[in-house]
């Protein structure tokens, strides 16, 4: 269409699923998602490892430390099915049964496989493989030596990929929270290579088991289904609403307040009839790019203005009264410490910036 | 619903209009818009002047200098209609006729008024008023003295508002591009007070007459139509796609390239088989928060990598070769000047930051 054959892109916005809504589980047809994708030719596993790294960066950046990224490879699953004696026609149905392992017991999954026409012996052989403990590059080596898989072309190629993935992630300095997990299958049919999924483990701050919060994989044939040319792609989707709900719970558990305003400075009047002076000062702060606000009432009480700052977490108040105006000063109040000092009106932007920087530094020190 | 009775909010996203699409004029049912609104009780014209200021900030911030914000007041229009002998039932229909003055001649608008049942005399009286030259606070004073309007309660209240508006805008340091224009009517029925609209005037860079690119006003009764309680509101909408189309034309006219990537550093290999070293360096830059990228091919040619930087406007390349690796160095190349220098591998993040800062400073100097 637009002849683009390679790009990196991200998008945050509403997306739609063709599915019956399940409101009680927060599953709507329209929901918010953050997507990242890399399209175009790439050295094997290079774009893929970048996607896995980005997934860890997003979760770490949002303040999560209790996540695991489970990785697996569609070709490896197919290879395993082949080695276990599953006919090719059953690859996808059996894969979709494996996908339920995070919600169902092995017995239920085995029953589904059996219902789909698979004999007991291949089911048992699949069990022995996909329920292998999770691992890292070590698991790749183990699987290479596994006599049941040796010589299978799909397995060999997939293990080469997985071994590259772990090497690249190591070079990129990716956090050590990536686990090779043969029981990961991912629901969507269009994946063709690496697949991954991020799960949050319960913590003291957030003991809800929430399952998958993000996932993705390689889909080399999807673009070709809609255009004349295959364009190899790899990408990930992050469930924004789900993560935000969890973050809210975590903040609540820690009794942390969530700020709903970006205001850093609140311009207060100490006496009546100073509305126009407040406006003049706000204009000065806004032109300097400082997120400032003031009361939209003409004569608010000083205590009410301070209370607003405390309630909403605005860190600094600038106060003007008759005497400050006369002396060309403003009073700078640090809301948390209640300390006040007079500063020159002309340098108040710099004073506010310095105060904000010192508050941020103190905050960072507390958190360490 | 959520009991919120006051807020400032902005939103950028898809919105929908219930209208027949006019594709050729770029008028779709779904389009992108940036909205800003202030809800809740406010001293008269205080929130309103903040909205007008924000409108000028957005347009200036996007690099436009050739804009005018036309302002008017719905109550003033109604007062004028009353003074001219229009019956109250005709206020909205006549207002909607005035709204067409930016696209149609006065004769066409007068014909519409006549078709809607207005006599020739009131039409002529309206003409004399709404076609008054545009102005600022001076026009407010002129209208106060206009014998045709004197004593009308709606006119008096609206003129008090307009006079406050100009005083507040002056205190806020709002650019002098706001024009009081009695012929501005705005299409939507729900406005109850101040209305405004931003228009771009043709310039040598962009001689297309594009008309309105943003607009808004006070709508004190709209929330009450959907909830039990009236909540006074004022806001504005900016036509994002329209502005971006115009910006593109302007860049084209100036032969300025529009960058489609945010990448600031491109990691290049000077020899074959250095893919893994590129990854290691990329990881280092990414962890430092620098927007870095590299080729997804295993052995790209150095010239191809430089060409990519030139084509996409990436300002800096970091080059690694065997000798750099041996000496724990990287070569920093400034793409525009083609100047290269060796820097220590350990301090390359700081070197890149310093180079970017000096490039930005030089750029700013050129633009002045």
């Amino acid at each position: 269409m637009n002849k683009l054959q390679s790009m990196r892109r991200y998008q945050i916005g509403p997306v739609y699923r063709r599915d019956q809504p399940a409101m009680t589980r927060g599953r709507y047809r329209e929901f918010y998602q953050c997507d990242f994708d890399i399209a175009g030719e790439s050295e094997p596993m290079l774009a893929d490892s970048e996607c896995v790294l980005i997934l860890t960066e997003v979760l770490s950046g949002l303040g999560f430390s209790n996540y695991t990224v489970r990785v697996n490879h569609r070709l490896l699953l197919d290879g395993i099915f082949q080695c276990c004696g599953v006919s090719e026609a059953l690859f996808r149905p059996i894969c979709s049964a494996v996908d339920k392992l995070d919600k169902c017991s092995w017995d239920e999954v085995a029953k589904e496989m059996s219902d789909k026409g698979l004999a007991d012996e291949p089911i048992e052989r699949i069990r022995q493989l996909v329920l292998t403990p999770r691992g890292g590059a070590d698991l790749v080596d183990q699987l290479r030596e596994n006599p049941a898989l040796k010589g299978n072309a799909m397995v060999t190629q997939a293990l080469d990929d997985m071994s590259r993935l772990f090497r690249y992630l190591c070079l990129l300095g990716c956090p050590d929270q990536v686990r090779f997990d043969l029981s990961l299958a991912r629901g969507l049919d269009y994946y063709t290579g690496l697949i991954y999924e991020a799960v949050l483990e319960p913590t003291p701050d957030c003991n809800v088991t929430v399952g998958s919060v993000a996932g993705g994989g390689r889909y080399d044939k999807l673009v070709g289904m809609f255009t004349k040319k295959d364009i190899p792609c790899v990408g990930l989707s992050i469930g924004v609403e789900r993560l935000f709900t969890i973050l809210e719970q975590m903040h609540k558990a820690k009794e942390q307040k969530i700020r709903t305003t970006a205001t850093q400075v609140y311009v207060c009047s100490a006496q009546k009839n100073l509305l126009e002076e407040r406006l003049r000062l706000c204009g000065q702060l806004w032109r300097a790019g400082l997120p400032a606000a003031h009361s939209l009432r003409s004569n608010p009480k000083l205590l009410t203005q301070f209370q607003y700052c405390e309630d909403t977490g605005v860190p600094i108040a600038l106060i003007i009264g008759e005497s400050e105006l006369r002396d060309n000063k403003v009073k700078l109040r640090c809301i948390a410490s209640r300390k006040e000092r007079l500063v020159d009106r002309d340098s108040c932007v710099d004073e506010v910036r310095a105060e904000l920087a010192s508050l941020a530094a103190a905050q960072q020190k507390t958190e360490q």
Side-chain angles (χ1 to χ4, degrees), chain A:
Chain A
M1 295 187 281
N2 49 23
K3 291 184 185 159
L4 257 186
Q5 305 214 340
S6 84
M7 65 167 176
R8 283 181 176 82
R9 52 83 84 174
Y10 74 90
Q11 174 182 308
I12 300 179
V15 291
Y16 305 88
R17 59 159 75 84
R18 186 158 169 261
D19 194 1
Q20 283 307 316
M23 312 281 194
T24 49
R25 292 189 296 129
R27 200 173 163 89
Y28 298 89
R29 280 196 180 157
E30 174 180 322
F31 59 104
Y32 273 75
Q33 191 167 285
C34 174
D35 296 315
F36 176 82
D37 296 272
I38 300 177
E41 294 292 341
S42 146
E43 192 63 10
M45 304 312 279
L46 206 47
D48 313 64
S49 49
E50 200 174 315
C51 286
V52 172
L53 178 72
I54 283 172
L55 185 46
T56 66
E57 282 179 351
V58 168
L59 293 171
S60 306
L62 287 171
F64 294 104
S65 53
N66 58 323
Y67 64 86
T68 302
V69 179
R70 304 162 67 203
V71 294
N72 197 8
H73 199 297
R74 271 286 164 92
L75 217 51
L76 182 59
L77 282 174
D78 287 353
I80 285 175
F81 298 151
Q82 198 170 53
C83 295
C84 294
V86 180
S87 68
E88 212 180 311
L90 279 180
F91 281 4
R92 290 279 73 78
I94 296 305
C95 186
S96 123
V98 170
D99 184 47
K100 288 167 189 150
L101 274 176
D102 58 344
K103 294 184 203 86
C104 309
S105 69
W106 170 256
D107 288 347
E108 289 166 291
V109 170
K111 186 174 177 303
E112 180 175 333
M113 290 181 180
S114 169
D115 291 347
K116 283 173 169 170
L118 202 59
D120 288 350
E121 205 207 319
I123 293 179
E124 171 58 18
R125 293 173 71 180
I126 292 173
R127 186 187 68 78
Q128 285 171 17
L129 283 161
V130 301
L131 296 187
T132 313
R134 301 169 179 185
D138 52 318
L139 183 54
V140 182
D141 296 334
Q142 267 179 52
L143 291 168
R144 276 199 213 278
E145 299 307 315
N146 189 315
L149 303 174
K150 235 171 185 169
N152 181 285
M154 289 192 281
V155 169
T156 307
Q157 196 196 316
L159 289 178
D160 285 351
D161 276 352
M162 294 309 281
S163 136
R164 266 194 206 94
L165 173 75
F166 284 107
R167 201 162 71 242
Y168 291 167
L169 289 178
C170 174
L171 288 163
L172 288 168
C174 182
D176 186 24
Q177 281 155 298
V178 181
R179 285 285 159 274
F180 189 5
D181 183 344
L182 289 175
S183 72
L184 174 75
R186 304 270 314 143
L188 295 168
D189 265 1
Y190 55 63
Y191 290 120
T192 53
L194 183 73
I195 46 178
Y196 35 85
E197 197 168 276
V199 288
L200 296 183
E201 316 291 350
T203 65
D205 293 335
C206 176
N207 56 10
V208 202
T209 313
V210 284
S212 159
V213 292
R218 177 159 284 282
Y219 52 100
D220 284 349
K221 300 288 172 191
L222 189 61
V223 174
M225 283 165 63
F226 299 99
T227 61
K228 280 181 190 156
K229 195 173 156 26
D230 273 335
I231 295 181
C233 295
V234 60
L236 57 107
S237 297
I238 299 161
V240 177
E241 282 145 333
R242 195 159 205 182
L243 280 179
F244 278 21
T245 310
I246 298 163
L247 279 177
E248 261 180 4
Q249 287 174 10
M250 284 168 62
H251 284 290
K252 229 178 188 171
K254 285 190 198 167
E255 294 184 359
Q256 281 176 339
K257 243 185 193 164
I258 301 175
R259 289 198 58 185
T260 56
T261 151
T263 308
Q264 299 278 36
V265 203
Y266 199 69
V267 174
C268 305
S269 40
Q271 277 124 22
K272 284 197 170 181
N273 302 322
L274 291 177
L275 165 62
E276 301 206 347
E277 289 303 330
R278 268 194 275 139
L279 270 188
R280 203 194 298 272
L281 186 50
C282 271
Q284 190 182 346
L285 297 166
W286 285 336
R287 279 192 302 282
L290 283 170
H294 71 131
S295 167
L296 292 176
R297 307 281 180 163
S298 55
N299 291 313
K301 286 185 185 139
L302 191 55
L303 271 180
T304 313
Q305 297 170 83
F306 289 166
Q307 193 60 47
Y308 174 83
C309 295
E310 292 197 4
D311 292 348
T312 56
V314 176
I316 293 176
L318 281 186
I319 306 149
I320 38 179
E322 295 296 350
S323 68
E324 284 82 10
L325 281 174
R326 200 183 43 231
D327 303 338
N328 202 30
K329 303 266 181 193
V330 291
K331 202 180 271 169
L332 190 158
R333 180 186 174 102
C334 175
I335 297 297
S337 68
R338 303 193 175 180
K339 275 187 197 156
E340 294 182 343
R341 67 175 196 274
L342 279 177
V343 302
D344 282 343
R345 175 73 179 256
D346 302 329
S347 62
C348 73
V349 163
D350 294 332
E351 295 282 350
V352 167
R353 284 222 179 93
E355 188 69 40
L356 287 172
S358 100
L359 287 172
Q363 173 79 18
Q364 212 167 21
K365 221 171 166 185
T366 323
E367 279 167 12
Q368 273 165 7

